[in-house]
Amino acid sequence: MTDFTDLLPTTEELVHLRAVAAGHTAPDLIVRGGLVQSPGTEEWLERDVLIAGRHIATLTPWDHVPTADAEIDARGCHVVPGFIDTHLHVEYTNLTPGELARLSVARGTTTVLTDPNGAANVWGARGMDLALSTTTPLHVFQQVSPTTPTSFALERGGAVIEEEVVRARLHDDNTATLGESNPFDYGELSTGRFREALVAGRRLTGHTAAQTHESLWGYLAAGISDDHNASTVDEVLERTRLGAMITVMGSSLADNTVPLFADLEAIEPALRHLSFCADDKHALDLHTQGHIDHHVRQAIRFGVDPQLAYRMATAQPAHYYRLDQVLGLLAPSRLADLQVIRDLAEVRPEAVIVAGRLVARDGVALFENTDELPDWARDTVHLPEELPADLLVVAAPEGTTRVRVRAMEMYNGYFKREFTASLPVVNGQVVSDPSQDVLKIAVVDRHHGEALAGHGFVKGFGLGRGAIAISMNCPNMNIAVLGADDDDMRLAVEELGRMGGGFVTVADGEVLARVALPVGGMMSDAPFEETAAALAAGHAATHELGCTIASPYIILSFVGLYVVPDLGLTELGLIDAATQQFVDVLVPGPVDACGHDPEEHA
């Protein structure tokens, strides 16, 4: 957990910084001979960076100061600040904060703004603190999760965090923003929370869920100040013209760097109002694609000037989120968080310095993760000793052989489009139809040990047989299970109970792959390399069953999310996102062929 005030220089440190800058005292470290990103102009400066303790004393012309206690040779390289991720859920990396640090700091991401809504739903306020805390050299600022659970009317959820706790956290020294809120909630309670965030001087993280016109305007009028959902140039321009910062998402759900930067001329007016976030990016993609370095590479690949691409990852978010007195700039008195990069387009730091200390070389962390996890962080999956036989059953009207159901089709990552499908009935039960790629999905309570499940149907996963299950339904962290038949779905849920949480793929009564996430059913306590390998094996096993989604587990996490159009699902039932009301799975009326025309939305 990072307190902003603790990163500022103390009085003694300021005395030392001024003495070094004035030439009275030798610096502790010089990063010598590099082209330094100017803190105030879009220039590359021939400067040495003089570091005194944790902070930068000043920038001088090359070789102005002949010696220091230590030096890093930056000749032939560029020197830039550490990257800032402006919106992340640590839990969805499937890593603990310390393991995330080992992976990401070595790639240049030294600061993350994180909304610990998953941890909040499993453990309450103490879980939020756990997801924000590490002794490793990663700065973690809080985006205060607004509501836990999101709605008492629509889910039972897990832990409960009282409103006064949320509002108090907005004033904490480690808080950067209010976390992402339900865009369809116009209630007095949420409006008062927005007001409290404004009074506390915090930005309000947005989750605009593809809204436009009046729906978007009503959300931004609450003081919402950014958006990580914008996935088209039109959405970006609509939001930036209303004053919002766009936090371009490059996650395991969808990589918006491609559609946004591919039309560079169109998006050009908004480029200085962009920053970057990973949002929901699991360990495997972080390991193979990168963290914020991936965004910078993509921007440059599509033609963004490197100076501007690096500013999107550093100075622009630092200014917008009011962190620039400490982070995001290579300037006097700022924290000495910087990286030395030889090839701007490749974005592979040869050296990473955090708070004046060399912490990574050539993509490898020079520190260990020694964070200790409390005992209460484990054993969080609570199911009945034996699952009832009818837990996953969707009953059909007596005498029917087919029924029409209200279903959802996945598109653009985690968005869901409602459509109507015709499904077979077997022994009085509505079953999946892999031939149509319409599969049953259920969200099963795993917090209270009760037999409670909501049901729906989803298109887009492509499973020809078998089932997959996770203990990370967003954000209430219940079990979500999807499959071609009820027996495999049941086995997958049971296996998660035996594992203590994680991801599982099964088929024909056999467990094919496991990703163990024993920390809250969300995170692994293993080294990130092992977690990434387990995810790769799980994805491969799922693809063997016909799945066409690159990262099926994390996409499954969001099928139930009921603040994203058109439908969502909790352990209590199917929900219309726009109205925030329960709707029936079965649709009355005559049975016909699948009512969705894929060409309609091409």
Side-chain angles (χ1 to χ4, degrees), residues 234-556:
D234 286 344
E235 288 178 344
V236 167
L237 293 177
E238 183 180 17
R239 286 150 177 74
T240 54
R241 285 166 177 160
L242 291 167
M245 163 68 78
I246 300 301
T247 56
V248 178
M249 182 178 76
S251 75
S252 296
L253 305 176
D255 187 355
N256 291 339
T257 65
V258 176
L260 297 185
F261 291 124
D263 193 349
L264 198 56
E265 182 178 359
I267 203 174
E268 196 279 334
L271 290 180
R272 285 164 179 80
H273 299 276
L274 304 184
S275 61
F276 297 140
C277 78
D279 192 11
D280 304 293
K281 195 167 189 175
H282 56 63
L284 177 59
D285 284 349
L286 288 168
H287 186 38
T288 56
Q289 293 180 359
H291 197 157
I292 299 303
D293 54 309
H294 166 74
H295 293 71
V296 178
R297 267 192 301 279
Q298 288 284 78
I300 294 172
R301 180 170 74 90
F302 282 110
V304 176
D305 180 83
Q307 172 71 231
L308 184 53
Y310 278 86
R311 295 183 76 82
M312 292 175 189
T314 57
Q316 288 180 189
H319 285 304
Y320 194 77
Y321 292 99
R322 300 167 179 153
L323 302 172
D324 53 301
Q325 190 57 50
V326 171
L327 300 166
L329 309 173
L330 300 182
S333 83
R334 270 58 168 196
L335 208 64
D337 289 1
L338 56 88
Q339 45 185 324
V340 177
I341 295 179
R342 187 164 301 277
D343 186 331
L344 286 177
E346 285 297 314
V347 203
R348 312 286 183 191
E350 295 187 1
V352 179
I353 295 170
V354 173
R357 182 166 65 93
L358 181 67
V359 297
R361 274 282 192 191
D362 299 319
V364 179
L366 300 178
F367 59 90
E368 298 296 325
N369 170 26
T370 59
D371 293 346
E372 295 185 4
L373 297 169
D375 291 340
W376 53 259
R378 305 174 191 276
D379 190 26
T380 61
V381 177
H382 307 297
L383 296 171
E385 187 171 332
E386 183 175 351
L387 298 182
D390 63 349
L391 183 66
L392 303 175
V393 169
V394 176
E398 187 175 352
T400 57
T401 58
R402 295 191 73 84
V403 295
R404 295 168 67 238
V405 301
R406 182 177 282 108
M408 41 193 159
E409 180 185 21
M410 308 306 297
Y411 73 98
N412 195 20
Y414 61 114
F415 289 95
K416 293 99 58 177
R417 182 180 294 114
E418 181 179 347
F419 73 101
T420 301
S422 171
L423 293 179
V425 174
V426 178
N427 297 326
Q429 301 176 19
V430 187
V431 298
S432 298
D433 187 354
S435 69
Q436 294 187 69
D437 184 26
V438 179
L439 305 177
K440 183 184 292 185
I441 182 173
V443 171
V444 181
D445 169 68
R446 62 102 159 175
H447 297 295
H448 306 288
E450 297 181 7
L452 192 61
H455 310 97
F457 293 90
V458 63
K459 179 183 180 71
F461 281 82
L463 285 181
R465 59 191 180 91
I468 59 174
I470 61 171
S471 52
M472 292 188 66
N473 183 64
C474 178
N476 56 36
M477 298 294 112
N478 275 316
I479 288 173
V481 58
L482 171 145
D485 69 83
D486 285 9
D487 289 341
D488 280 336
M489 291 174 67
R490 181 187 180 91
L491 172 60
V493 174
E494 293 171 339
E495 185 63 21
L496 285 182
R498 288 187 285 266
M499 291 166 55
F503 306 147
V504 64
T505 297
V506 307
D508 304 321
E510 179 184 356
V511 177
L512 304 181
R514 300 175 182 85
V515 182
L517 303 175
V519 183
M522 302 174 289
M523 296 177 282
S524 170
D525 54 357
F528 76 79
E529 296 90 344
E530 294 180 19
T531 306
L535 280 166
H539 292 167
T542 308
H543 295 152
E544 284 292 317
L545 300 180
C547 182
T548 55
I549 294 175
S551 296
Y553 299 132
I554 198 166
I555 293 291
L556 179 55

Side-chain angles (χ1 to χ4, degrees), residues 194-219:
F194 296 148
R195 157 73 178 174
E196 189 75 25
L198 295 172
V199 169
R202 309 305 185 195
R203 296 293 191 188
L204 282 69
T205 295
H207 178 90
T208 64
Q211 296 177 96
T212 188
H213 294 94
E214 284 84 359
S215 182
L216 175 66
W217 304 339
Y219 189 40

